[in-house]
Amino acid sequence: MILAAAASTNSVWADEKPFSIAIHGGAGTITKAKLTPQQQQAYRDKLTEAVNAGYKVLEKGGDSVVAIQAAINVMENSPLFNAGVGAVYTYDGAHEMDASIMDGKTMNAGAVSGVKHIKNPINLADAVMNQSPHVMLSGAGAEEFALTQGFTLVPANHFDTESRYKQLQDAKVKLRKAESELKAKSPDYQASLNGVPQIDYLDLDYKFGTVGAVALDKKGNLAAGTSTGGMTAKRFGRIGDSPVIGAGTYAENGVCAVSATGHGEYFIRYHVAGDICAKVKYQQKSIIQAADEVINQRLITAGGTGGVIAIDQRGNIATPFNTEGMYRATRKNGEPADVMIWRGR
């Protein structure tokens, strides 16, 4: 009888172990005036679908790595987000996608950059993590590896959307205007290097947009993943923070998991995801305090804009951002999904 009672107690305790998930769909200048009520609802519905897809995996005792892929796949398959089918255009009218994933249990990680024919880049990043001795593969080589793993390449026009193409045209207009203004201010200004405009994208509202997820499963395993179409009108095979472990993605069991979105150059320079986890690990700061210090103090002081989703070993979640808004959703065990766009929800 005592053994039976003990077994029953342990079973209940196991079922009540904390698990939770957080997702983001990009940060930036997201004003209420720019979103109709119908558009707002469309984003909220898709974020709900994505966070619930990951939650269902966790609820059944599934692995955190599997859960974050389930959530990210929903967003990669939606034209609402800058990842997968909703990926933005490069300056030359193509699509170059990046993704990364990290398993906090093993500290293994996988990433891909500059892929053009992969429907769900996060899945290929997972294959790199689990089926290769490498961490990051790029371009044609990554797609060659994808074929060895049974992936089907999709045509480049799979990622074409009218709204993203319009963003490209708008961005080019702004770039040309910025170049003209610089020429007017300085007659000796060299507006190009081999015919390529040297314009800083900092003031352009086209540098944001990424999807990501972090999760804690019932076994205490943390995981993080990030997927993006990059920056509108980017050139030269530019790569941001999303596929860079420690910058856009990081996870370590017993510490935290982080996925970032924003102006990637700053997230790389300031090692944002890794820095947050370092504050938790070595300074014993809460996930909320650590994430806030990096995003709303260190990063913004340097001129970097964006946000993160972060989760700790107990399932506590932080979603700080220093932009006008960030598409995000969270769900903890036994609770309904919480979907947010602005600070006031």
Side-chain angles (χ1 to χ4, degrees):
M1 293 296 291
I2 294 177
L3 290 175
S8 176
T9 301
N10 288 336
S11 176
V12 172
W13 179 79
D15 289 342
E16 292 179 350
K17 282 188 175 180
F19 66 93
S20 53
I21 183 170
I23 67 170
H24 70 75
T29 308
I30 306 169
T31 62
K32 292 185 179 181
K34 288 184 178 180
L35 290 179
T36 67
Q38 292 79 11
Q39 288 173 323
Q40 284 189 41
Q41 194 58 51
Y43 276 105
R44 292 183 187 277
D45 289 347
K46 191 56 65 172
L47 289 167
T48 300
E49 179 186 345
V51 77
N52 284 342
Y55 181 87
K56 289 176 182 176
V57 174
L58 299 174
E59 188 177 36
K60 295 176 181 177
D63 189 85
S64 55
V65 171
V66 177
I68 61 172
Q69 285 184 81
I72 291 174
N73 283 167
V74 171
M75 293 184 284
E76 286 178 330
N77 294 338
S78 169
L80 293 175
F81 305 101
N82 177 20
V85 73
V88 299
Y89 287 82
T90 66
Y91 192 90
D92 296 324
H95 305 280
E96 295 175 355
M97 293 160 287
D98 311 321
S100 64
I101 194 166
M102 188 165 185
D103 183 344
K105 178 182 179 180
T106 62
M107 297 294 288
N108 198 5
V112 294
S113 65
V115 296
K116 300 179 179 181
H117 304 278
I118 303 297
K119 180 181 178 183
N120 296 109
I122 193 67
N123 295 356
L124 183 55
D126 179 76
V128 173
M129 177 173 70
N130 290 306
Q131 304 300 327
S132 86
H134 310 298
V135 172
M136 184 185 293
L137 299 179
S138 66
E143 295 187 345
E144 182 180 356
F145 171 75
L147 291 174
T148 71
Q149 300 302 307
F151 283 74
T152 300
L153 303 187
V154 297
N157 63 10
H158 171 82
F159 307 101
D160 290 351
T161 56
E162 184 177 346
S163 62
R164 296 301 188 196
Y165 187 71
K166 184 178 184 301
Q167 285 181 354
L168 173 63
Q169 302 309 310
D170 291 344
K172 284 187 172 182
V173 169
K174 287 187 177 183
L175 286 169
R176 294 188 188 103
K177 181 180 178 181
E179 180 184 350
S180 296
E181 290 175 350
L182 284 172
K183 283 183 178 179
K185 290 179 180 178
S186 175
D188 297 328
Y189 169 72
Q190 296 298 313
S192 66
L193 177 64
N194 295 327
V196 179
Q198 300 298 292
I199 306 296
D200 191 350
Y201 283 68
L202 184 60
D203 295 325
L204 299 181
D205 186 27
Y206 296 101
K207 58 185 174 292
F208 302 106
T210 302
V211 306
V214 294
L216 171 73
D217 63 31
K218 290 183 178 181
K219 297 177 182 177
N221 296 319
L222 291 163
T226 312
S227 181
T228 186
M231 179 189 291
T232 297
K234 65 180 180 180
R235 306 191 75 168
F236 315 117
R238 176 263 185 189
I239 298 170
D241 64 304
S242 295
V244 180
I245 301 302
T249 302
Y250 193 78
E252 181 178 354
N253 271 18
V255 184
C256 74
V258 179
S259 173
T261 174
H263 195 167
E265 281 70 13
Y266 285 89
F267 282 74
I268 294 172
R269 293 168 188 156
Y270 287 86
H271 193 238
V272 166
D275 192 23
I276 291 171
C277 287
K279 288 178 179 294
V280 174
K281 184 175 183 177
Y282 299 115
Q283 298 180 343
Q284 288 75 53
K285 293 185 176 180
S286 72
I287 191 65
I288 292 174
Q289 182 181 4
D292 180 71
E293 285 183 3
V294 173
I295 296 300
N296 289 314
Q297 295 179 40
R298 187 162 192 252
L299 191 67
I300 199 169
T301 300
T305 46
V308 299
I309 51 172
I311 189 171
D312 69 12
Q313 62 178 330
R314 298 178 183 85
N316 298 309
I317 295 171
T319 64
F321 55 97
N322 58 36
T323 54
E324 190 160 353
M326 182 170 76
Y327 299 111
R328 62 204 189 279
T330 65
R331 190 171 181 188
K332 298 182 178 181
N333 55 311
E335 299 179 8
D338 189 8
V339 181
M340 300 155 281
I341 300 177
W342 300 281
R343 285 176 179 80
R345 305 273 178 209

